[in-house]
Amino acid sequence: MTEFTYKVHGLVVSCDRPLSDLDKVTVSAPADIAVSIDKNLTLPQLPKDVWIDCNAADQSVLMDIPDGPAFRIFDGTTIQYDPREGGENRLRAYLLGRALGAALYQQGRFPLHASANVFGGGAVLFVGDSGAGKSTLCHALTLNGAGLVADDVCVLSPDATQLFPGVRRPKLWQDTLDEFGLSSGGLDPVEEHQGKYYLPNDTQDMPSSMPVSGVVLLEQGTCVSLSDVSREDALGLIARHSYIYTLIPEMGLGQSFLDFAIKLSNVPFYRLTRPMGFDYLDETVALLNQRF
Amino acid sequence: MDSNSILSPDPNIAFSQVEDEFILMSMDNGAFYVLDGSAAAVWGQIQQSKSFSDLVAALVQEFDVDQATCEQDCTALLEDLIAKKLVSVA
């Protein structure tokens, strides 16, 4: 069987199908996580609106994505998938997002719902509620020379000081593409008819990991400003922007998550406010360049 | 507060000591609390369960405080911690 090998979040991932979101690597070491197809996954009966089930005894996770693939993730080393319906893009998005996220939790790692760009050799993570403008700002920063380190999911070293490059393929909505003067023609849609598109992978060279120089919360405001965040608020942000937070209590990882969050709260946290829209994007990018 | 009441961290709480503070996290909702000063002293005593009377006795011995004041202050603090579901009482 053909096997494709990739590096993401500091891990070697092998897969029995190509994952165009990632850069292929040649390694002699065994994969940290092996991904393979299994068209006979047995799924539990889940209540309506519940798509994830965690076995408290062995921490294995089953995911039943509506109109999409199913996954079984166990030992932090193995992801089995059944493509079912929804197509290749939906499969890849969930595989590299939630399924990989669950495997990371099983390894005792704590993925964050954040995107990151590199400034002068250090990584700055951006968190914010859906619609806060992470993708737009990160793309503007990338165009400005601050390369994209990770889109949507960031995975740090266990001591929370280093960031590993993640999926470096930005996703933008049609109206954002328009503002950047880009055409969606020829771009891969994230999902059919959703109006969100994958840009080509950022190909700027990245080191295998880089120190974290800050975490920035994006919020809407009346002017462009950057202010400090207290440690208590920083801790709350880390929990609120954890990727699939529900897995932390379900897997009994509360204590190790707290220890990780405390380490991460030693990094400077900032609140960045700015009016939404493209008019203030240049000013925002300039402010971040000045700070980092 | 009954002097025989057994006080312990709520099972849904994770906590960690950082220098002279305790940082608590509610696993239900990811809320964090930082306890410092006298609150940290109380948490340090009850982190492995303790009766109210043993808690007060330990604090009276450690700090320059009389028993009545200590009981009063501890009751007020513990009521707050119990209301926030950080401490369970048995």
Side-chain angles (χ1 to χ4, degrees):
Chain A
M1 190 196 298
T2 314
E3 206 164 74
F4 304 88
T5 311
Y6 303 92
K7 192 138 199 202
V8 63
H9 305 313
L11 301 168
V12 176
V13 175
S14 72
C15 188
D16 59 1
R17 70 204 295 133
L19 301 170
S20 53
D21 309 74
L22 303 177
D23 297 323
K24 207 149 50 165
V25 291
T26 311
V27 286
S28 49
D32 299 298
I33 295 176
V35 181
S36 59
I37 195 164
D38 182 343
K39 289 195 166 174
N40 298 304
L41 285 181
T42 314
L43 295 168
Q45 273 301 335
L46 297 177
K48 201 176 175 303
D49 300 330
V50 175
W51 54 272
I52 185 165
D53 182 64
C54 176
N55 181 321
D58 65 3
Q59 295 193 341
S60 65
V61 173
L62 285 159
M63 290 183 187
D64 184 354
I65 309 298
D67 308 316
F71 299 99
R72 176 167 180 256
I73 306 112
F74 57 96
D75 292 343
T77 60
T78 310
I79 299 174
Q80 296 168 329
Y81 65 90
D82 180 348
R84 303 197 302 187
E85 53 192 320
E88 192 72 20
N89 285 358
R90 195 163 166 82
L91 168 63
R92 260 197 350 260
Y94 280 99
L95 172 58
L96 292 174
R98 289 171 178 181
L100 190 55
L104 285 158
Y105 277 116
Q106 287 168 347
Q107 293 189 3
R109 306 287 288 278
F110 296 101
L112 295 169
H113 188 196
S115 296
N117 291 71
V118 60
F119 293 80
V124 176
L125 277 65
F126 296 94
V127 298
D129 293 335
S130 189
K134 285 197 297 286
S135 304
T136 304
L137 178 60
C138 289
H139 187 61
L141 289 167
T142 306
L143 295 176
N144 204 258
L148 184 70
V149 189
D151 179 66
D152 209 37
V153 181
C154 283
V155 178
L156 304 177
S157 59
D159 66 1
T161 61
Q162 298 275 320
L163 175 69
F164 300 104
V167 177
R168 297 175 56 211
R169 195 180 194 198
K171 304 182 279 277
L172 292 179
W173 292 98
Q174 177 72 60
D175 54 350
T176 315
L177 289 172
D178 294 342
E179 293 276 5
F180 281 117
L182 298 166
S183 157
S184 60
L187 294 181
D188 228 359
V190 174
E191 306 210 3
E192 294 299 327
H193 314 301
Q194 182 202 28
K196 204 175 190 182
Y197 296 89
Y198 286 111
L199 263 57
N201 293 17
D202 184 353
T203 53
Q204 295 181 43
D205 279 342
M206 282 289 148
S208 57
S209 72
M210 62 204 74
V212 177
S213 34
V215 179
V216 176
L217 169 67
L218 299 183
E219 281 182 350
Q220 189 170 353
T222 50
C223 62
V224 180
S225 82
L226 201 58
S227 56
D228 294 336
V229 170
S230 72
R231 179 177 215 173
E232 204 165 348
D233 287 347
L235 289 165
L237 286 179
I238 296 166
R240 188 145 59 88
H241 296 286
S242 281
Y243 194 67
I244 345 182
Y245 175 83
T246 51
L247 283 178
I248 295 172
E250 283 190 40
M251 287 185 166
L253 296 173
Q255 188 65 51
S256 48
F257 173 72
L258 172 62
D259 295 338
F260 171 79
I262 289 171
K263 287 177 200 150
L264 180 54
S265 71
N266 290 321
V267 166
F269 274 64
Y270 304 93
R271 175 175 283 105
L272 172 65
T273 62
R274 76 275 185 246
M276 298 304 274
F278 272 63
D279 295 348
Y280 294 87
L281 208 46
D282 288 346
E283 195 184 330
T284 307
V285 168
L287 180 65
L288 289 167
N289 273 319
Q290 186 192 334
R291 177 59 60 104
F292 301 110
Chain B
M1 191 71 54
D2 189 321
S3 66
N4 294 322
S5 299
I6 304 293
L7 305 157
S8 36
D10 190 274
N12 279 320
I13 293 295
F15 62 92
S16 185
Q17 186 167 12
V18 179
E19 291 160 14
D20 49 6
E21 293 179 341
F22 280 96
I23 297 177
L24 281 55
M25 186 185 94
S26 161
M27 279 181 274
D28 290 340
N29 56 15
F32 284 84
Y33 304 87
V34 178
L35 303 185
D36 56 9
S38 52
V42 169
W43 192 271
Q45 289 294 331
I46 64 165
Q47 58 180 317
Q48 274 145 356
S49 296
K50 196 162 257 184
S51 70
F52 182 72
S53 54
D54 286 353
L55 164 68
V56 171
L59 293 174
V60 166
Q61 196 162 42
E62 191 178 345
F63 299 99
D64 182 22
V65 61
D66 65 82
Q67 174 141 348
T69 311
C70 186
E71 278 179 6
Q72 208 176 347
D73 292 353
C74 281
T75 301
L77 174 70
L78 287 165
E79 276 170 359
D80 183 41
L81 295 176
I82 291 163
K84 287 179 176 148
K85 297 198 168 132
L86 302 176
V87 166
S88 60
V89 52

